[in-house]
Amino acid sequence: MEQEKDKMPAICGGKPVREGKQTLYYGRQCIEEDDIAAVVRTLRSPALTCGPEIEALEDHLKDVTGANYAICCSNGTAALHLACMAIGIGPGDEVIVSPITFAASANCVLYCGGTPVFADIREDTYNIDVESIKSRITPRTKAVVAVDFTGQAVELDEILALCREHGLYLIEDGAHSLGTKYKGRPVGSIADITTFSFHPVKTVTAGEGGACTTNDPELGQRLSLLRAHGITRDMTVMKHPTDDPWYNEQVMLGYNYRMTDFQASLLISQLKKLRRFSDARKAIRAKYDAAFEEIPQLILQKTIPESDTTQHLYILRLDPEKVRCTRREFFDALCAEGIHPQVHYLPVYLHSYYESLGHKKGECPVAEKVYENILSIPFYPALTEEDTDDVIRAVRKVAQFYAK
Ligand SMILES: Cc1ncc(COP(=O)(O)O)c(C=O)c1O
């Protein structure tokens, strides 16, 4: 695949920017020797699962997020499902969700029998719009799932105030935002529950992995039970307490959403680098911003001043008034230069499955308009200066070629 793309002739003429070099994709993990050593150590230990690395990881996550409780699990989708179960979402409940996100942010509501209701986004930051949330609240609304898109924190103060006014839970989908601070406070300690993903393209990775954080002891306990079948050894939780050493009791219906200990070891090792990775991401964002501000065909995502952001994705938006090409043509031309972008995201309700549930075009006009013209370009700490120079050169070349 990669070789074929490398051979594509430059659509914009001249030599492809990355000629003779590997294609750059929009995201990838950064695994170093000490990460590998950490995994190998655990693979040689007695416990591959349910062992000491899980508790150690949860302590690290509490440190990073400032939350009182951290519950790690098998992936970010499981974390969202756990969060919806913990707050008791069920049939008849509506949950207001951001549409510009990965489908899991809304699927978790469906898993619980609830109904996702999509609120529109802001045209400048692409995060969920507080006014649109307000307009979607009904007597059935039970919660809001707000996504820190690309890592920038949503307007937490305003959304939390709205949730408190209407008796709603706030689940913050922080899959993109581990390490981000909102008004000086780390994401993970502010919403009722914050969920994280540790998929390889995220800021730090466990291969697959996720977590929920909360300050609420009851939610913390429910999340922890639901993560492992609803089974406990805690006598204070049992209906039939006994100290028989073999006895454990299922007190609710839960799942096996556990993370393994070797994944936890990888993540602990990665978390030690969070600051370094975050600084590298911020530096690349600053370099890209400075270069792309000069290109009239592009609209840049607005920086949210309240958010000290560990950036996850870098989004370019084409200004349809100033380019004479489609997003697809721009995409293909970048691929031909050796820069392979991605698009984040199709508004969730436009997936055919959601259409089959009755959702239609027009529900969130701003999200649809933004979606038409966005691209995510290569953005991860392992990019070298030469790589980021190439990305900038390629984007500039394609933008000039297609300038109106
Ligand atoms: C915003 C958002 N939420 C949830 C998820 C789901 O996480 P995972 O892939 O770990 O299940 C993702 C992952 O891509 C995501 O980007």
Side-chain angles (χ1 to χ4, degrees):
M1 263 305 261
E2 197 169 315
Q3 275 169 354
E4 268 171 40
K5 275 181 209 122
D6 284 346
K7 277 192 222 137
M8 271 173 79
I11 290 168
C12 307
K15 277 202 324 193
V17 166
R18 295 279 295 172
E19 191 175 61
K21 300 182 202 169
Q22 279 205 328
T23 297
L24 297 175
Y25 291 87
Y26 82 93
R28 63 165 297 173
Q29 70 273 17
C30 181
I31 299 292
E32 297 167 332
E33 286 307 315
D34 55 343
D35 299 318
I36 295 167
V39 174
V40 170
R41 259 196 313 277
T42 302
L43 286 174
R44 293 203 167 106
S45 78
L48 296 190
T49 188
C50 304
E53 292 295 285
I54 297 298
E55 216 172 299
L57 168 62
E58 291 178 343
D59 286 342
H60 277 277
L61 287 169
K62 283 189 264 181
D63 280 349
V64 170
T65 60
N68 292 338
Y69 304 92
I71 295 88
C72 63
C73 58
S74 44
N75 53 62
T77 305
L80 283 159
H81 186 195
L82 289 171
C84 285
M85 286 191 286
I87 63 170
I89 298 300
D93 293 332
E94 293 177 357
V95 178
I96 298 173
V97 185
S98 228
I100 294 286
T101 184
F102 185 61
S105 313
N107 289 347
C108 57
V109 179
L110 295 176
Y111 296 157
C112 293
T115 306
V117 174
F118 295 93
D120 214 339
I121 60 163
R122 287 176 56 128
E123 189 162 353
D124 51 0
T125 64
Y126 316 146
N127 272 345
I128 197 165
D129 182 346
V130 182
E131 290 307 312
S132 184
I133 297 177
K134 274 186 203 162
S135 74
R136 304 302 203 256
I137 295 174
T138 74
R140 290 172 163 231
T141 309
K142 185 141 184 192
V144 173
V145 176
V147 180
D148 298 325
F149 182 61
T150 72
Q152 297 204 103
V154 291
E155 292 161 272
L156 280 160
D157 279 349
E158 290 77 3
I159 299 174
L160 257 180
L162 196 61
C163 286
R164 295 298 171 256
E165 188 189 332
H166 293 272
L168 314 178
Y169 285 103
L170 175 59
I171 298 174
E172 184 177 2
D173 182 343
H176 298 182
S177 62
L178 186 77
T180 290
K181 291 192 173 124
Y182 173 78
K183 296 187 180 172
R185 290 170 66 195
V187 158
S189 59
I190 304 170
D192 294 306
I193 300 176
T194 308
T195 63
F196 296 101
S197 162
F198 306 115
H199 176 276
V201 294
K202 302 299 190 303
T203 307
V204 288
T205 187
E208 293 277 0
C212 297
T213 59
T214 181
N215 285 330
D216 181 316
E218 246 175 71
L219 289 177
Q221 188 184 59
R222 286 179 64 76
L223 289 164
S224 162
L225 279 168
L226 288 163
R227 184 238 335 243
H229 308 283
I231 288 178
T232 183
R233 284 182 184 280
D234 181 348
M235 279 176 29
T236 64
V237 180
M238 292 176 182
K239 292 277 177 318
H240 310 297
T242 156
D243 64 357
D244 289 342
W246 62 86
Y247 186 76
N248 51 41
E249 187 177 301
Q250 183 180 344
V251 295
M252 62 173 71
L253 184 61
Y255 291 75
N256 179 355
Y257 278 169
R258 290 191 301 257
M259 181 188 277
T260 65
D261 275 55
F262 47 96
Q263 288 173 303
S265 304
L266 173 57
L267 192 50
I268 292 170
S269 178
Q270 290 259 300
L271 281 172
K272 293 177 187 157
K273 304 162 190 200
L274 179 60
R275 171 64 72 83
R276 170 157 60 91
F277 288 169
S278 173
D279 288 347
R281 286 174 176 276
K282 285 177 181 173
I284 298 172
R285 169 156 187 182
K287 180 172 172 175
Y288 279 174
D289 280 349
F292 299 140
E293 265 159 19
E294 307 292 319
I295 301 181
Q297 290 75 28
L298 303 175
I299 301 168
L300 303 192
Q301 183 186 18
K302 186 184 170 209
T303 302
I304 300 177
E306 294 80 12
S307 177
D308 175 2
T309 302
T310 293
Q311 193 81 22
H312 164 52
L313 297 171
Y314 193 94
I315 309 274
L316 289 179
R317 185 167 159 215
L318 307 181
D319 185 342
E321 305 289 319
K322 298 188 180 151
V323 290
R324 50 174 185 88
C325 65
T326 60
R327 185 251 310 268
R328 174 63 196 266
E329 285 167 325
F330 202 96
F331 187 107
D332 287 347
L334 276 180
C335 288
E337 298 296 333
I339 306 297
H340 198 283
Q342 182 51 281
V343 173
H344 298 94
Y345 295 92
L346 173 72
V348 174
Y349 60 87
L350 294 181
H351 283 287
S352 59
Y353 178 71
Y354 277 82
E355 285 174 341
S356 78
L357 302 179
H359 291 275
K360 283 191 189 64
K361 244 190 159 143
E363 272 179 40
C364 298
V366 181
E368 289 172 26
K369 179 174 161 201
V370 166
Y371 162 70
E372 287 298 325
N373 292 300
I374 51 177
L375 297 161
S376 308
I377 57 169
F379 189 78
Y380 47 90
L383 290 172
T384 62
E385 285 294 333
E386 184 182 330
D387 292 336
T388 49
D389 286 343
D390 284 350
V391 173
I392 291 168
R393 277 202 300 137
V395 170
R396 195 181 285 133
K397 179 176 171 185
V398 176
Q400 280 169 359
F401 180 77
Y402 284 122
K404 259 190 190 160

